[in-house]
Amino acid sequence: RKEVEQDPGPFNVPEGATVAFNCTYSNSASQSFFWYRQDCRKEPKLLMSVYSSGNEDGRFTAQLNRASQYISLLIRDSKLSDSATYLCVVDAYSGAGSYQLTFGKGTKLSVIP
Amino acid sequence: EPEVTQTPSHQVTQMGQEVILRCVPISNHLYFYWYRQILGQKVEFLVSFYNNEISEKSEIFDDQFSVERPDGSNFTLKIRSTKLEDSAMYFCASSETGSDTEAFFGQGTRLTVV
């Protein structure tokens, strides 16, 4: 069974704080990795893809460790608008033509004024 | 910005009834998906669709479910004989290529089976 595990939180942090989320995945054949953001009762929206070399987008930095099957997301200088659930998402690669995504349960972040 | 649109936003149905959830994927996308999210739980894959046929489906997607692309723009999920446990948010998604590119999600249809 292909799983994605995340710390459910909630993480309650003050504005301006740095917060880190971790995720592990079980399918060693997975090839694509993402962080999605989901606001309450809304659809998931892509925050960023995650590459082996690590990548940064403004205040957000994502890292991937294929050997450990571990993904991280770092948010610097947290804003109130960052409050959401952060979903670790991995492709459930099971052979050519596999297109499904496997979602973690998400980590809830609340940024407090 | 192009978006995936879903209708209706909320559907209430009686147990045993059939429902059809509708989606209009982004126009130049080739891959279409249905996911569901039971309240408080994770997003779960149901089915992917490419080139007018199902390319993958999960164990959730049993004979009760079917998908169709009736014309060039719509993509539908039909649930026959709904059960209470089918109550969930159903998300349609589309992507330009396969799972190595961003999947854009619609705003979802909240299905409540009573």
Side-chain angles (χ1 to χ4, degrees):
Chain A
R1 191 182 174 99
K2 302 178 178 72
E3 299 285 351
V4 176
E5 300 290 340
Q6 294 182 251
D7 182 339
F11 283 47
N12 300 314
V13 303
E15 269 186 291
T18 295
V19 60
F21 303 137
N22 304 316
C23 165
T24 58
Y25 61 95
S26 62
N27 183 6
S28 59
S30 292
Q31 300 181 11
S32 302
F33 310 90
F34 310 93
W35 283 101
Y36 275 74
R37 169 196 169 126
Q38 187 175 30
D39 293 289
C40 188
R41 295 181 177 251
K42 300 284 190 180
E43 74 273 24
K45 290 186 177 179
L46 181 69
L47 180 65
M48 58 198 303
S49 301
V50 188
Y51 305 113
S52 295
S53 54
N55 48 300
E56 187 174 308
D57 182 3
R59 298 181 294 109
F60 300 86
T61 301
Q63 298 276 358
L64 167 65
N65 184 322
R66 284 185 182 267
S68 304
Q69 294 177 206
Y70 170 91
I71 306 164
S72 66
L73 176 68
L74 185 76
I75 305 176
R76 289 180 297 279
D77 189 22
S78 300
K79 312 288 184 194
L80 295 176
S81 56
D82 294 333
S83 297
T85 296
Y86 290 83
L87 309 176
C88 181
V89 182
V90 175
D91 81 279
Y93 185 79
S94 57
S98 172
Y99 306 113
Q100 62 174 286
L101 299 174
T102 300
F103 284 74
K105 285 194 73 173
T107 300
K108 186 172 181 181
L109 172 66
S110 294
V111 180
I112 303 161
Chain B
E1 184 179 316
E3 59 180 16
V4 176
T5 56
Q6 290 185 242
T7 54
S9 56
H10 192 188
Q11 172 96 45
V12 181
T13 190
Q14 289 207 321
M15 196 167 52
Q17 296 297 303
E18 176 182 286
V19 293
I20 297 176
L21 310 184
R22 303 180 191 279
C23 170
V24 179
I26 294 172
S27 61
N28 65 329
H29 285 186
L30 301 178
Y31 296 80
F32 315 123
Y33 315 88
W34 283 101
Y35 287 82
R36 80 170 186 190
Q37 187 174 32
I38 295 170
L39 188 64
Q41 299 190 24
K42 63 182 178 182
V43 176
E44 299 175 291
F45 170 78
L46 293 178
V47 65
S48 60
F49 193 86
Y50 169 71
N51 200 25
N52 285 317
E53 61 182 23
I54 290 173
S55 45
E56 272 189 300
K57 59 183 181 179
S58 71
E59 60 269 19
I60 302 169
F61 194 90
D62 58 21
D63 292 343
Q64 185 194 5
F65 294 88
S66 61
V67 290
E68 195 176 33
R69 189 152 163 83
D71 54 45
S73 58
N74 290 284
F75 179 51
T76 62
L77 174 69
K78 182 189 290 186
I79 309 175
R80 286 181 283 275
S81 188
T82 49
K83 305 189 283 278
L84 294 176
E85 55 265 37
D86 294 328
S87 296
M89 183 75 99
Y90 288 81
F91 293 109
C92 174
S94 69
S95 64
E96 199 169 346
T97 60
S99 62
D100 59 338
T101 58
E102 178 179 359
F104 290 81
F105 284 76
Q107 80 278 19
T109 293
R110 180 166 298 282
L111 177 65
T112 303
V113 183
V114 297

